[in-house]
Amino acid sequence: MIIEPRVKGFLCITAHPDGCAKNIEEQIDYVKSLGAIKNGCKSALIIGSSTGYGLASRICAAFGCKASTVGVFFERAGDVARERPGSAGWYNTQAFTKKAQEEGLYVANINGDAFSDEIKQQAIDAIKQSPLGKVDLIIYSLASPRRTDPQTGQVYRSVLKTIGQERVDKSLDTDKGTVINVTVPSANEKEVSDTVKTMGGEDWELWIKALEKAGVIADGCTSVAYSYIGPKLTYPIYRDGTIGEAKKDLEATAERIDNTLKLYRGKAFVSINKALVTQASSAIPVVPLYVSILYKVMKQKGIHEDCIMQIARLFSQQMYNDNCIEFDDEGRARIDDLELRDDVQNEVFGIWEKITTENLNDLTDFAGYKAEFLKLFGFGVDGVDYSKDCQI
Ligand code: NAD
């Protein structure tokens, strides 16, 4: 079947298996080019392992540290009868699995709702079957718009809204390539608490409790969850908005999990990562415009990083290789340091003030943004013949 991109707003509903496989290969090659990571993890559980930061973490664990990996994700397989390609995360996982197994690494994939007790149990069973029988690294990298509470069955939905006053801000219509004004409405109390329930720390803590109860936490185990702060420019819709409340809850949860993992001479913390084009971030108002400007400035300065570069830096320069994590005053790892450098943010702000549809292509890396967005789904990848029939 010939597969073409079908973009609907911030979603691409098709994905290309060969393009996704090539993306995985590139990420593996990058990690290998940095050399083996010394004293790295041996057995990792990655919750949200099929795309973005979680996928990069899985690749670093497997190909940097030679670790067994259990990956948990929510993806769709291809449907041959209906000629419907699978999701990018499905193809990413297939390609990752093939490469890791070729190197003799243990791989287990759990496809389903990570918020459910059933999927937690399936992951625990897979960990028990792994060579170590336990995990010494637990990455929590979920980005989900809804969560079903496993105890009550109630469904919670997260919203991307401000808290307090509604906010009119510049944003990008990525389909039309125009700079527009968006009104981000303010959330009511229920929307704030539902967003915290969905994207906050409760589920991370439930995972740790389930793993502990099953006796599969190894000595010295580290658990990391990913979060974002960003510049003052995006505070009203991100850090001070509903999603920011959820992230603050996640960060507070790290302290409690840290106390639990100390019993195993381990630790838990949140890593604050850089803003990047991923399936999750492209859905946030204002962020795609900010990211297009940020990419331009960071590329010009030669300090742009993508997911795999960010996580490889976290693994090889902070978590492992005889290094230690440089925590900020609130106990968080900061790999957003380059994004938040004063010279970077001053330039970003200068561009933000004068950006219009007319100068969008000159002043921002909108072209890079679009290319990277399509690449997430395996399109526009060098070396892939898109005119060739491929199997879904
Ligand atoms: P992403 O959309 O690329 O990945 C999300 C992952 O979660 C996928 O593997 C998906 O399959 C999985 N998932 C979603 N719902 C699930 C469910 N119910 N059950 C099982 N798996 C499920 O997102 P991302 O941008 O890599 O985000 C990951 C984390 O990193 C988030 O916490 C996000 O806030 C954080 N982060 C992202 C950015 C950014 O700019 N993208 C920056 C800093 C921090």
Side-chain angles (χ1 to χ4, degrees), residues 47-55 72-75 89 110-115 119 140-147 199 225-229 238 243 247 250 271-282 287 291 307 376:
I47 304 153
S49 65
S50 55
T51 54
Y53 276 116
L55 171 65
V72 181
F73 50 85
F74 211 168
E75 300 294 349
I110 317 288
N111 189 14
D113 184 7
F115 297 126
I119 289 297
Y140 191 79
S141 186
L142 288 185
S144 174
R146 81 187 67 80
R147 171 173 173 228
M199 283 293 285
Y226 296 140
S227 184
Y228 182 65
I229 294 178
Y238 198 95
I243 183 71
K247 289 301 187 187
L250 185 80
S271 170
I272 310 290
N273 301 353
K274 175 192 185 223
L276 281 173
V277 185
T278 64
Q279 293 187 36
S281 70
S282 44
V287 167
V291 166
C307 278
L376 295 176

Side-chain angles (χ1 to χ4, degrees), residues 26 64 78 107 116 130 159 175 181 208 236 244 258 314 321 342 364 379:
E26 276 176 17
V107 177
S116 69
S130 69
V159 297
D175 285 342
N181 273 333
I208 301 296
D258 191 48
L314 178 67
N321 257 343
D342 283 348
T364 79
F379 297 108

Side-chain angles (χ1 to χ4, degrees), residues 343-363:
D343 60 322
V344 171
Q345 285 305 323
N346 288 340
E347 279 188 45
V348 168
F349 190 70
I351 296 174
W352 183 268
E353 291 283 87
K354 54 185 183 225
I355 194 71
T356 60
T357 299
E358 289 67 41
N359 60 27
L360 180 69
N361 288 314
D362 289 336
L363 297 185

Side-chain angles (χ1 to χ4, degrees), residues 1-6 12-19 78 83-86 91 377-380 384-392:
M1 164 179 185
I2 309 284
I3 307 171
E4 289 180 346
R6 283 180 59 197
C12 178
I13 56 169
T14 52
H16 201 284
D18 300 348
E83 295 204 328
R84 213 170 137 219
Y91 295 129
F377 303 91
F379 297 108
V384 176
D385 182 356
Y386 291 97
S387 64
K388 217 180 80 190
D389 237 6
C390 65
Q391 285 197 332
I392 56 166

Side-chain angles (χ1 to χ4, degrees), residues 277-331:
V277 185
T278 64
Q279 293 187 36
S281 70
S282 44
I284 307 173
V286 184
V287 167
L289 181 57
Y290 167 71
V291 166
S292 301
I293 300 173
L294 182 73
Y295 274 30
K296 175 86 167 185
V297 173
M298 292 187 81
K299 282 180 185 175
Q300 262 169 0
K301 290 179 184 290
I303 53 171
H304 172 70
E305 293 172 303
D306 56 16
C307 278
I308 196 71
M309 292 163 94
Q310 277 265 291
I311 301 301
R313 180 151 73 92
L314 178 67
F315 272 53
S316 64
Q317 293 180 31
Q318 298 231 12
M319 281 165 64
Y320 303 123
N321 257 343
D322 300 333
N323 294 308
C324 55
I325 300 149
E326 289 167 30
F327 292 115
D328 69 7
D329 291 348
E330 297 185 41

